[in-house]
Amino acid sequence: MSFHKKNILIIGASSGIGLAIAESLQAEGANLFTASRRIPQGIKSHHITWDVTQPITGIFDTLPDTLHGIVYTPGTINLKPFQRFSLDDFRNDFEINVLGAVAAIQANLGRLRKANGASILLFSTVAVQTGMGFHASIATAKGAVEGLTRSLAAELAAAKIRCNALAPSLTDTPLAGMLLSTEEKRDSSNKRHPIGRVGTPQDFTAAAKLLLSDEGSWITGQVIGIDGGMGQLK
């Protein structure tokens, strides 16, 4: 897959899955543009300092007139019994996972239209389609991401803009640090996955590149589980 001269904006590329996708796209020749609170290390990109909870969208005006892809990776892991969630917990998860994506896409929709074939990649979670205790807030927010994915895919198809989402299970990223902080926790998490391990950020790069590339030009409106079998297997 060639990304030579393709302009790709990655939001949340400073660590985890976003950084792994950025590194992989850079190796394929993409022109990278990143937006996050911290500057990504180890990649070459035009960086915009942007906080998804305070989405000042005018700062995207420094981007080129044309974008071939947007990847939105910010997320949350907020797990506890339902009765302990506050409304502010739900609002915060929705703000980061959904409204940040909405703001970024709206601010750059004109740039995507000019590509005459662009792609939006969002992130859900295995917990939307597979009921999991203590996941009420994040599953609610990511369920909205899946709805947004399909709605945008339908609305933007005529403009040749595709929209898909990847749905991970537990992945070894800084965000999941507390869930994998001991060997006992890691071993237990590994055993819950049919493949026998939790995910790594690199597990997502091949699918991300396909969905962003010309080779994936007939794929839209899909939520694809990359979850070690967690979502479908017993």
Side-chain angles (χ1 to χ4, degrees), residues 105-180:
I105 294 167
Q106 286 184 334
N108 290 289
L109 191 55
R111 295 178 178 87
L112 293 171
R113 290 183 184 277
K114 289 180 181 178
N116 193 34
S119 177
I120 299 167
L121 179 59
L122 304 177
F123 278 81
S124 181
T125 171
V126 66
V128 173
Q129 299 299 328
T130 303
M132 295 181 177
F134 310 115
H135 284 68
S137 184
I138 185 60
T140 298
K142 290 299 194 182
V145 170
E146 293 194 8
L148 178 65
T149 297
R150 295 186 178 101
S151 182
L152 288 180
E155 183 172 339
L156 301 178
K160 296 184 179 180
I161 300 172
R162 297 176 294 110
C163 187
N164 296 285
L166 299 180
S169 184
L170 183 61
T171 303
D172 191 358
T173 67
L175 189 64
M178 289 299 294
L179 300 178
L180 299 171

Side-chain angles (χ1 to χ4, degrees), residues 13 40 70 82 186 220:
I70 293 178
F82 176 71
R186 184 177 293 272
T220 193

